[in-house]
């Protein structure tokens, strides 16, 4: 049976609860494999692992439990190794890169910020800022809606202005919050979000960071901001496994090598 890897910690990391369960149905008991100065939080892996909500939550729960006791290098959902011996071999062979990342991430957490537009509010801003769009909209209205060509032209102009505003607001959000974080990472874009940014924030500055998010929300009411955190620093652990999309088949843990993150 293969070994599922949740994360990597120092060997001196506080012990986890003995009754902590991980992924699988029935849930597999979580255990710790130690090798030198490092340890891997693992469990047996199911024969067929799928991104079911139950298992995704179990993965997060194990990392949250580990993170409460100190810094942890989280693996993405689906990270597995052929067996326990492969895991401990990787810990021994790549001890220094793992220890470097543990030192760099000590006392930090990830905060993910997703942003989109309040459609009515941003449309009002566009009308106020673009004389040509406002003039065409008024002309169409006075003409009872305008011709089909005029309607299409207005729609194209508004779409272009919204896209430009999305890019501007994404950069505004980054520039506003980046000085209050140790690092920033851009996540994959998805429908409905104009920005998907993860910030590495020190525990001693988390309140100031969240206050800056709230200030941004108040100063720019056309922006809708969703904050998720504190989280394990997923976006700041560069391994092949961490770069796999959740729900895909992650590369074996034995192929993962952490790299310094300077984003």
């Amino acid at each position: 049976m293969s070994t599922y890897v949740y994360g990597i910690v120092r060997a001196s990391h506080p012990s986890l609860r003995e009754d902590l369960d991980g992924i699988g149905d029935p849930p597999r008991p979580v255990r710790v494999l130690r090798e030198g100065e490092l340890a891997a939080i693992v469990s047996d892996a199911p024969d067929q692992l799928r991104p079911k909500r139950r298992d995704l939550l179990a993965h997060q729960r194990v990392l949250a439990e580990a993170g409460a006791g100190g810094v942890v290098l989280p693996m993405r959902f689906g990270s597995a190794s052929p067996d326990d011996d492969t895991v401990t071999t990787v810990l021994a062979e790549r001890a220094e890169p793992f220890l470097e990342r543990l030192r760099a991430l000590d006392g930090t957490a990830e905060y993910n910020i997703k942003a989109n537009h309040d459609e009515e509010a941003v449309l009002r801003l566009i009308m106020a800022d673009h004389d040509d769009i406002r003039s065409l909209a008024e002309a169409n209205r006075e003409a009872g809606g305008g011709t089909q060509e005029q309607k299409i032209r207005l729609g194209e102009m508004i779409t272009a202005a919204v896209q430009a505003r999305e890019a501007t607001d994404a950069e505004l959000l980054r520039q506003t919050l980046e000085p209050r974080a140790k690092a920033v990472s851009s996540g994959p874009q998805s429908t409905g979000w104009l920005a998907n940014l993860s910030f590495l924030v020190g525990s001693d500055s988390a309140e100031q960071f969240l206050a800056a998010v709230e200030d941004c929300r108040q100063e720019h009411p056309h922006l809708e901001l969703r904050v998720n955190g504190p989280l394990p620093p997923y976006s700041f652990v560069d391994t092949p496994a961490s770069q796999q999309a959740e729900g895909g088949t992650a590369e074996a843990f034995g192929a993962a090598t952490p790299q310094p993150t300077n984003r």
Side-chain angles (χ1 to χ4, degrees):
M1 180 174 290
S2 59
T3 302
Y4 186 91
V5 185
Y6 299 88
I8 301 167
V9 296
R10 295 186 179 93
S12 58
H13 195 88
S15 299
L16 302 176
R17 292 190 290 109
E18 293 184 2
D19 62 346
L20 183 61
D21 287 329
I23 63 171
D25 185 19
R28 272 58 171 178
V30 174
R31 49 198 172 83
V32 177
L33 300 176
R34 290 183 170 81
E35 176 63 38
E37 296 182 62
L38 295 169
I41 302 168
V42 305
S43 69
D44 292 342
D47 292 335
Q48 292 187 345
L49 181 60
R50 296 289 183 268
K52 296 180 180 178
R53 176 176 171 80
R54 176 192 64 231
D55 287 332
L56 291 168
L57 291 176
H59 182 93
Q60 295 172 5
R61 183 173 61 249
V62 171
L63 287 172
E65 174 77 13
V71 62
V72 56
L73 300 184
M75 295 294 107
R76 289 290 187 184
F77 179 83
S79 300
S81 186
D83 50 43
D84 287 3
D85 288 343
T86 302
V87 175
T88 55
T89 297
V90 171
L91 292 181
E93 292 179 348
R94 305 178 184 180
E96 188 50 41
F98 284 129
L99 288 168
E100 187 276 331
R101 293 310 297 149
L102 284 166
R103 288 190 290 268
L105 297 174
D106 201 9
T108 66
E110 177 174 332
Y111 288 84
N112 177 256
I113 311 293
K114 290 184 172 68
N116 62 10
H117 278 151
D118 179 299
E119 292 184 4
E120 292 186 3
V122 79
L123 184 58
R124 288 194 295 270
L125 287 175
I126 287 172
M127 289 296 180
D129 293 342
H130 294 77
D131 293 341
D132 55 345
I133 294 177
R134 186 173 63 256
S135 295
L136 181 55
E138 291 174 352
N140 285 0
R141 185 166 53 252
E142 291 174 357
T147 65
Q148 185 65 20
E149 182 179 347
Q150 289 171 326
K151 292 178 182 178
I152 292 173
R153 175 57 180 156
L154 179 60
E156 290 174 342
M157 292 172 66
I158 291 174
T159 297
V162 168
Q163 292 174 343
R165 186 77 195 208
E166 287 176 347
T168 297
D169 285 335
E171 185 60 25
L172 169 69
L173 187 63
R174 185 185 185 110
Q175 291 183 0
T176 299
L177 299 179
E178 188 170 10
R180 293 162 175 81
K182 294 179 179 292
V184 59
S185 174
S186 297
Q189 295 296 315
S190 60
T191 302
W193 302 112
L194 63 89
N196 178 10
L197 300 171
S198 290
F199 297 87
L200 186 66
V201 179
S203 56
D204 57 348
S205 57
E207 289 187 9
Q208 294 93 324
F209 177 82
L210 293 174
V213 174
E214 185 59 30
D215 288 344
C216 189
R217 182 181 282 123
Q218 297 298 322
E219 292 173 10
H220 306 284
H222 68 288
L223 286 178
E224 296 179 346
L225 304 179
R226 190 181 80 176
V227 182
N228 192 13
L231 301 167
Y234 291 106
S235 301
F236 304 93
V237 181
D238 288 341
T239 67
S242 74
Q243 294 165 6
Q244 296 289 328
E246 290 191 11
T249 301
E251 293 187 18
F253 172 75
T257 305
Q259 302 294 335
T261 300
N262 296 313
R263 293 175 294 192

